Amino acid sequence: MGQILVFVESSKGALKRSSIELLQAAAQSGETVAALAVGSAADALVKEIGANGGQEIHLIKDASLDSYNPELFAAALTPVIEKVGPHTLLASASSLGRDLFPRIAARLKTGLASDCTELSLQGGQVSARRPMYSGKCFASAEFENSPVKIVLMRANQLPVKAADPSKTGTVTEHALTKPDLKTLIKEVVKGTSEKLDLTEANIIVAGGRGLKEAGNFKLLQDLADALGATVGASRAVVDAGWVSHSMQVGQTGKTVAPTLYIAVGVSGAIQHLAGMSGSKVIVAINNDANAPIFQKATYGIVGDLFDVVPKLTEEFRKVLHH
Ligand SMILES: Cc1cc2nc3c(=O)[nH]c(=O)nc-3n(C[C@H](O)[C@H](O)[C@H](O)COP(=O)(O)OP(=O)(O)OC[C@H]3O[C@@H](n4cnc5c(N)ncnc54)[C@H](O)[C@@H]3O)c2cc1C
């Protein structure tokens, strides 16, 4: 029986949903599930990792791994992965994962499938499916000559069930051998938003040029607050300087796959669809019945967003907050 290693990411002392998805998928395969967590607060994750299926928990508890430095992370993780010796390594296709794991794959001289949306783990065989050309087609990926098969999964693609707190894992700590670094992270300055990152959000309300001006994003923020959602945007409004680039969804922005995506005053250009067509339920609000977004929408409301959005906000407040 082989071993699957899951690299976990956390936020505010708790596992990210994307990491829970991977742990549970690995646990379902029936193989031994190992997990790797890094940083000075890695200890705090042990219980949650165990409860989600992690049996062998590896920690590198070094404060220098609290913020991401590609050079340091690649040097720190590679020897631990070699020591643990999994046949498969799962990590999330987050900004960190997409930057880090190609470096590690190169060091390990092994194959990597990035940005995957489907995963199959059976008897040591791994296959994954990933969108190509902005989602116009899909590729099935299998591995050859790969001592460790590295798969990076998009968030919100795999089911999550309740954790089982009676399950625990054994903990092994690894020392960090610091390499001579060419770069140092001196400070990480966070953006102003305290909201959940778009790629992790379960509900997204996205606005486009139909909102007419920056100040009208307040309407979307109100709707998002009523729903517990995160606000996203089309590139047109990012380019216009109405909102920050961190909110952009699409080919040159973020790829998201929430349970619910509400597109407000967004036309549905192919480059926008590339970032959100994996959403489970898509609701479009647009006053042009021929807008392309309606081709992708599960539900469409043809109407003036300035009428529709405040009414929706009011109704959601009534239904969800009573
Ligand atoms: C290389 C490249 C990369 C790109 N990457 C991205 C990307 O990552 N993300 C992205 O989003 N775009 C991207 N684009 C841009 C993309 O092609 C579109 O230009 C952009 O998505 C359009 O934004 P929009 O839908 O907000 O604006 P528009 O296309 O102008 O649409 C506005 C919509 O609002 C509707 N509307 C107007 N008034 C109202 C009202 N009162 N009530 C209801 N609806 C109303 C209109 O009917 C219209 O459908 C990229 C383009 C290129 C060339």
Side-chain angles (χ1 to χ4, degrees):
M1 192 64 79
Q3 192 175 62
I4 300 174
L5 176 64
V6 178
F7 174 73
V8 299
E9 291 182 48
S10 63
S11 164
K12 297 185 186 136
L15 288 178
K16 287 193 176 176
R17 184 197 144 105
S18 50
S19 296
I20 297 176
E21 289 178 31
L22 297 176
L23 284 168
Q24 293 195 2
Q28 277 206 336
S29 71
E31 299 193 54
T32 307
V33 181
L36 173 57
V38 302
S40 53
D43 258 347
L45 303 172
V46 165
K47 268 196 189 148
E48 207 186 351
I49 294 172
N52 283 291
Q55 295 157 300
E56 296 178 11
I57 305 171
H58 299 271
L59 306 178
I60 316 176
K61 291 192 326 187
D62 195 289
S64 61
L65 298 170
D66 285 352
S67 41
Y68 178 58
N69 174 333
E71 225 187 329
L72 177 61
F73 269 57
L77 267 66
T78 308
V80 176
I81 295 167
E82 278 178 315
K83 212 189 245 172
V84 175
H87 63 71
T88 299
L89 169 62
L90 303 177
S92 103
S94 58
S95 321
L96 185 152
R98 280 197 269 199
D99 189 70
L100 173 62
F101 286 96
R103 297 168 193 271
I104 290 179
R107 284 170 189 239
L108 295 174
K109 297 192 170 37
T110 197
L112 170 138
S114 188
D115 203 24
C116 299
T117 52
E118 283 175 37
L119 173 68
S120 151
L121 300 167
Q122 267 169 1
Q125 292 305 309
V126 182
S127 62
R129 209 165 116 95
R130 52 190 299 264
M132 294 176 73
Y133 302 114
S134 304
K136 288 195 194 68
C137 62
F138 288 86
S140 296
E142 287 178 9
F143 292 82
E144 279 187 345
N145 304 323
S146 292
V148 187
K149 305 169 183 88
I150 305 182
V151 179
L152 306 185
M153 284 292 295
R154 278 192 197 173
N156 293 331
Q157 301 295 322
L158 302 167
V160 162
K161 52 182 181 17
D164 177 356
S166 69
K167 285 195 199 152
T168 53
T170 56
V171 176
T172 310
E173 288 186 22
H174 300 264
L176 170 70
T177 355
K178 271 197 196 142
D180 284 336
L181 294 175
K182 296 191 192 76
T183 50
L184 280 177
I185 306 291
K186 301 201 102 174
E187 189 189 359
V188 176
V189 183
K190 291 226 185 286
T192 46
S193 167
E194 275 295 301
K195 294 277 171 197
L196 195 60
D197 186 81
L198 276 176
T199 53
E200 292 277 323
N202 197 34
I203 306 178
I204 293 173
V205 178
R209 194 145 44 191
L211 278 154
K212 309 277 191 270
E213 58 180 82
N216 292 332
F217 259 78
K218 169 88 174 61
L219 285 176
L220 291 198
Q221 192 57 59
D222 290 346
L223 177 58
D225 288 345
L227 285 165
T230 302
V231 177
S234 72
R235 174 163 163 180
V237 304
V238 171
D239 286 354
W242 297 358
V243 296
S244 80
H245 181 259
S246 64
M247 290 167 68
Q248 184 180 317
V249 173
Q251 190 181 317
T252 44
K254 291 191 171 148
T255 303
V256 300
T259 309
L260 174 62
Y261 189 92
I262 306 182
V264 181
V266 173
S267 60
I270 184 79
Q271 297 90 353
H272 188 81
L273 299 178
M276 48 61 79
S277 54
S279 308
K280 299 224 165 39
V281 173
I282 298 172
V283 175
I285 303 168
N286 198 303
N287 61 4
D288 173 6
N290 295 317
I293 190 78
F294 287 123
Q295 311 273 328
K296 283 276 170 192
T298 326
Y299 301 101
I301 302 175
V302 179
D304 185 341
L305 71 90
F306 295 98
D307 289 337
V308 176
V309 172
K311 284 189 184 130
L312 279 180
T313 305
E314 205 183 307
E315 286 304 313
F316 281 128
R317 276 189 192 137
K318 274 193 223 152
V319 178
L320 299 173
H321 301 279
H322 281 281

